[in-house]
Amino acid sequence: MKGVRDPAVQLLQRLIRLLRWRVWIQEKLQPTEWQITLWWAALAGFVGALSSLLFSVLTEGIHELLTGRSDGVVETMRQLPWWACVAVPATGGLLAGATLLLGKRLSQGQSSTDYMEAIAIGSGRIPVRSSLLKSAAALFSIGSGGSIGREGPMVQLAALQASMLGRWRRFSPPQLRLLVACGAASGIASAYNAPIAGSFFVAEIILGTIAMESLGPLAVSAVAAALTVRVLTDAQHLYQVPAFRLDSPWEMLPYVMLGFIEGTLAPWFLRSLRRAEKLFVVTTIPPIARLVLGGMLVGGIAIFFPQVAGNGYTVVLEILNGQVVWLALVGIMIAKWLATASSFGSGAPGGVFTPSLFMGASAGYLFGTAVHSFWPAGAPDPQACALVGMGAFLSAASYAPVMAIIMLFEMTLSYDIILPLMLCNVIAYYTAKGLQGESLYSESLRRKAAETPSAVMPMGKVRDLLKTKPPVVSSTARFAEIARLFLSVRVNNIYVVGEDQRFFGVVSLHDIKPYLGDPDLASLVIANDIMREEFPRIGPDQSLSEALGAFLGHPIERVPVIDPESSRLLGSLSKTDLLLALVEKRQQPTG
C-alpha cells in the first residue's frame, strides 16, 4: 500500500541520523581518552570535596556531642574542668576503638587498604566497609580532641569515592589507580584550600613522578575540589599572616641555619612517633584500651596545656601573628610533641600532616626569636621564621620539598617568602635525608609492600594490560548492525572477525561516513566491504615499549592484540593504559 514503508528501512534511516551526530561530534569535538579521563578526574574532585566537607561537619558535631560546646577544641579544653579534659579524649578513644573493633569483625576477609597502598602498590581498589568504619573511628578521635590531624581520613574518603567511581565504570588498573590518586589530591586540596600543593602531594609522595600523564588529571581534580569548597563555604587562604619583606640579603643566613635545625628535628619527631607506637604495642593491652590510654594521656596534658588538643591549627595562627610568648611556646611545643606521640602511638586514626606544620612553626618562631635577641637585623620578624619553618619541617618529614614550598605559598599567598622558603626547604630536605633514609609515608608504604607482596602488580607485557572482549562484528555483518554498535559503545574502530575469532580488519567510524547520505546504498553494504585490512596490531608477549611503536604515526586510541600463531583476536590495548603503565614502570626500583 502507498505510504507503507519497510520497518527495516525506517530503522536504518533512524540509525543513520543518529550516526551522523556521532560522526559530527567525533570530527568536531574529537574527544580522546585523555579528555574523558580529565572529565572523570574533575568529577572525582567534586565528589571528594563533598565528602571532605561532610567529614568536617560530622567532626564538629561529634565534638559538640561529647563536650556540649560549639567552640573550637582548644577553647573548649580551656573551659572544661580537669576531669572532663581527661574524660572527653578517653571517651573518644573508647568509641574509636569500639568502632575499629566492629569494623574488624564486619570486614573479615576484607583488607584495610588505604589510599597510598591502593595507588602505589595495589590495583586502585579501596575496600568500602573497612574504609568507612575507619573514617567513623577517626571522627571520634578527632572530635574528642585527639592530637591528630583530620586530613588523613578526609583524603581516604575522597580516594574511596574515586575508587568506587572507577570500579563502577570498570576502569583498567592503571586508570583506576590514577583516578584514586585524583581523589587523594582532591582531599588535600579540600583540607588546605591548596589545589596545586594537593596535586604535587600525590605526584611527589605517592606516584613519585610529575609526568603530565598523571599530573594533569591530578591538577584538574584538585582544582575542581578547591572550587567546590570555595563555592559551598567562605574558604580563603588557610593562614592569614602579616606582610613579609626581605630587607637585606644578610637575612638569608639565619634561614640556612633554620634549614639544618628543621631538617634535624623532623627525623627525631618521626622516630618518636614510631617509638611511641612500639611502646603501646609492647604493653599487650587490647587495642581499645590503648586508644583509651592515649586519650587519657592527651587529656592529662591538656589540663595544663589545652593548646595540645586538636591538630594545632589555631595555635599556628597565633604563632604566625605573634600572639604567643616564646617562653610559653617552649612548654606548648614539648607538650604537643608528647600529645601527638600519645595519639599516634595508641593507634588513633588520623593524620600527622597538620601537627607537623605545628612543630615546624614552633621551632621556627623560637629560632627567630633567639636570633632577633642577639642580631635584630638578621631576623627582624620571628613570625617569618615560623612561616618558613613550617615549610621546612614539612619538607623534611615528607621528602616532598616542591609540594611543601607550593603548599606554604598557597596557604598564605605571601610571595615575598618564596626565596627564604625555597632555600630553607631544600636544606631541610637534604639534612633529613642524610639523617634518615625514609620519610613517614615511604616507610609505611615499604612496610605494607613487604606484608602484601602479592598486591604489587608488575606491568611488563602487553598481556598484562589488554582488555578482553572488545566490540567486534562478523565479516558479513550488515550496516545496521555496525551502526548500532557504534552508537552503543564509545569507540572509533570496530574489529571484524571470523567465526573462530580470527582477525580480518577494522571498520572505522570515519570509513562509514560516505554511506550516511545514501540509506539505500548502506542497506547493501556489509562489514567486509568497508573494512580496512591494513591496521596496526600487536602481540600479547610484546613489551610495553614495543607496543608504544604501534601508536606512533597513527591517530588511534586502541590497537588490537592478536595471537601471532592463530591470528585470533585476544583483546585490545588502550593508549591511556599503556602510557600510565610506562610512567609507573619508570618509577619502580630496578633491583
Side-chain angles (χ1 to χ4, degrees):
M1 294 177 59
K2 187 177 179 179
V4 178
R5 304 180 63 181
D6 188 351
V9 174
Q10 292 179 327
L11 176 62
L12 181 59
Q13 289 178 338
R14 284 197 295 268
L15 289 173
I16 287 177
R17 283 196 295 270
L18 293 173
L19 207 52
R20 284 175 187 161
W21 280 104
R22 172 81 161 80
V23 173
W24 183 87
I25 291 173
Q26 179 61 34
E27 291 185 343
K28 300 300 181 182
L29 302 181
Q30 297 182 344
T32 64
E33 287 199 10
W34 276 115
Q35 292 169 333
I36 300 300
T37 298
L38 294 180
W39 188 92
W40 285 110
L43 182 59
F46 172 72
V47 175
L50 293 181
S51 65
S52 297
L53 291 174
L54 176 62
F55 184 84
S56 296
V57 172
L58 292 176
T59 301
E60 294 170 1
I62 293 294
H63 172 72
E64 188 171 354
L65 179 66
L66 292 176
T67 64
R69 300 176 182 271
S70 58
D71 300 323
V73 62
V74 173
E75 186 61 29
T76 297
M77 287 297 179
R78 284 196 180 104
Q79 298 175 10
L80 289 177
W82 69 268
W83 59 268
C85 285
V86 177
V88 169
T91 302
L94 176 63
L95 294 174
T99 304
L100 290 175
L101 181 60
L102 175 64
K104 188 175 181 180
R105 291 179 177 177
L106 294 179
S107 304
Q108 290 182 354
Q110 189 180 83
S111 67
S112 58
T113 307
D114 65 10
Y115 68 96
M116 285 192 180
E117 182 182 353
I119 297 169
I121 60 176
S123 62
R125 298 175 69 90
I126 299 178
V128 177
R129 188 183 305 160
S130 60
S131 295
L132 290 178
L133 287 169
K134 188 175 182 180
S135 298
L139 285 174
F140 295 115
S141 293
I142 298 168
S144 62
S147 182
I148 205 83
R150 66 175 63 181
E151 74 282 346
M154 289 173 70
V155 176
Q156 179 73 12
L157 285 174
L160 172 64
Q161 300 294 324
S163 179
M164 294 172 62
L165 194 62
R167 288 156 64 180
W168 170 57
R169 297 301 303 169
R170 297 183 179 178
F171 279 14
S172 63
Q175 288 179 309
L176 184 57
R177 282 193 289 268
L178 177 60
L179 193 63
V180 173
C182 290
S186 73
I188 291 291
S190 304
Y192 295 101
N193 198 20
I196 306 176
S199 307
F200 276 87
F201 171 84
V202 178
E204 272 195 290
I205 295 176
I206 306 175
L207 297 179
T209 176
I210 55 174
M212 279 307 297
E213 287 84 0
S214 55
L215 186 59
L218 294 178
V220 169
S221 181
V223 168
L227 287 175
T228 302
V229 171
R230 293 183 186 185
V231 168
L232 298 179
T233 67
D234 58 350
Q236 300 297 323
H237 53 279
L238 198 61
Y239 294 101
Q240 300 282 349
V241 297
F244 166 79
R245 187 176 64 184
L246 191 67
D247 295 319
S248 170
W250 292 107
E251 294 179 30
M252 296 295 288
L253 292 179
Y255 289 113
V256 174
M257 182 60 66
L258 180 59
F260 286 113
I261 294 174
E262 299 282 8
T264 303
L265 192 62
W268 280 103
F269 178 71
L270 299 181
R271 288 172 188 167
S272 69
L273 298 185
R274 298 190 189 101
R275 179 62 63 86
E277 189 176 27
K278 292 179 180 178
L279 287 176
F280 272 92
V281 171
V282 298
T283 59
T284 67
I285 60 178
I288 293 182
R290 290 181 210 163
L291 286 163
V292 173
L293 177 59
M296 292 178 64
L297 291 174
V298 172
I301 298 172
I303 296 174
F304 306 99
F305 297 96
Q307 297 91 339
V308 305
N311 58 14
Y313 169 72
T314 56
V315 184
V316 171
L317 274 180
E318 294 176 354
I319 293 172
L320 295 178
N321 288 278
Q323 299 171 355
V324 178
V325 179
W326 72 267
L327 191 58
L329 184 58
V330 174
I332 294 173
M333 182 180 176
I334 296 173
K336 182 65 175 178
W337 193 324
L338 293 174
T340 303
S342 299
S343 290
F344 183 88
S346 67
V352 294
F353 205 96
T354 310
S356 295
L357 296 177
F358 178 98
M359 300 303 299
S362 300
Y365 186 80
L366 292 174
F367 172 80
T369 302
V371 172
H372 182 76
S373 63
F374 292 102
W375 182 25
D381 189 359
Q383 292 100 290
C385 290
L387 185 60
V388 173
M390 288 171 63
F393 194 97
L394 184 59
S395 174
S398 65
Y399 285 11
V402 176
M403 180 275 298
I405 293 170
I406 293 174
M407 173 165 281
L408 263 294
F409 172 68
E410 282 192 289
M411 289 194 302
T412 62
L413 295 184
S414 177
Y415 179 77
D416 292 328
I417 205 71
I418 287 295
L419 290 180
L421 183 62
M422 291 178 65
L423 177 64
C424 196
N425 272 25
V426 171
I427 293 174
Y429 164 73
Y430 281 110
T431 302
K433 201 164 187 179
L435 295 175
Q436 181 166 297
E438 294 180 312
S439 69
L440 178 64
Y441 301 108
S442 62
E443 192 273 339
S444 176
L445 282 174
R446 180 190 57 78
R447 184 173 56 190
K448 289 181 178 179
E451 292 173 355
T452 56
S454 60
V456 182
M457 300 184 62
M459 296 290 179
K461 298 292 184 180
V462 169
R463 66 170 66 254
D464 298 325
L465 291 174
L466 71 84
K467 287 186 176 180
T468 59
K469 298 180 181 180
V472 298
V473 293
S474 67
S475 58
T476 58
R478 294 284 183 179
F479 190 88
E481 181 181 349
I482 298 172
R484 278 194 295 267
L485 194 54
F486 269 123
L487 292 171
S488 61
V489 295
R490 197 191 62 80
V491 295
N492 297 329
N493 296 290
I494 293 175
Y495 304 141
V496 181
V497 297
E499 293 182 358
D500 56 352
Q501 288 294 304
R502 183 179 180 185
F503 181 75
F504 289 152
V506 168
V507 174
S508 170
L509 183 63
H510 180 74
D511 292 339
I512 67 173
K513 186 177 178 181
Y515 302 96
L516 298 181
D518 192 344
D520 294 331
L521 179 61
S523 63
L524 302 175
V525 169
I526 61 174
N528 193 57
D529 299 328
I530 55 177
M531 75 175 183
R532 284 188 286 167
E533 296 182 6
E534 297 297 327
F535 194 81
R537 62 196 72 184
I538 53 178
D541 295 318
Q542 287 185 252
S543 68
L544 301 185
S545 299
E546 291 173 333
L548 185 61
F551 289 98
L552 300 178
H554 301 282
I556 54 178
E557 296 294 327
R558 297 174 182 272
V559 293
V561 181
I562 310 299
D563 186 333
E565 296 182 359
S566 62
S567 297
R568 293 177 59 251
L569 177 67
L570 301 178
S572 65
L573 175 66
S574 164
K575 183 197 292 187
T576 301
D577 289 349
L578 176 60
L579 292 176
L580 290 175
L582 286 172
V583 170
E584 291 176 355
K585 188 177 180 182
R586 194 165 60 222
Q587 303 309 315
Q588 292 175 355
T590 56

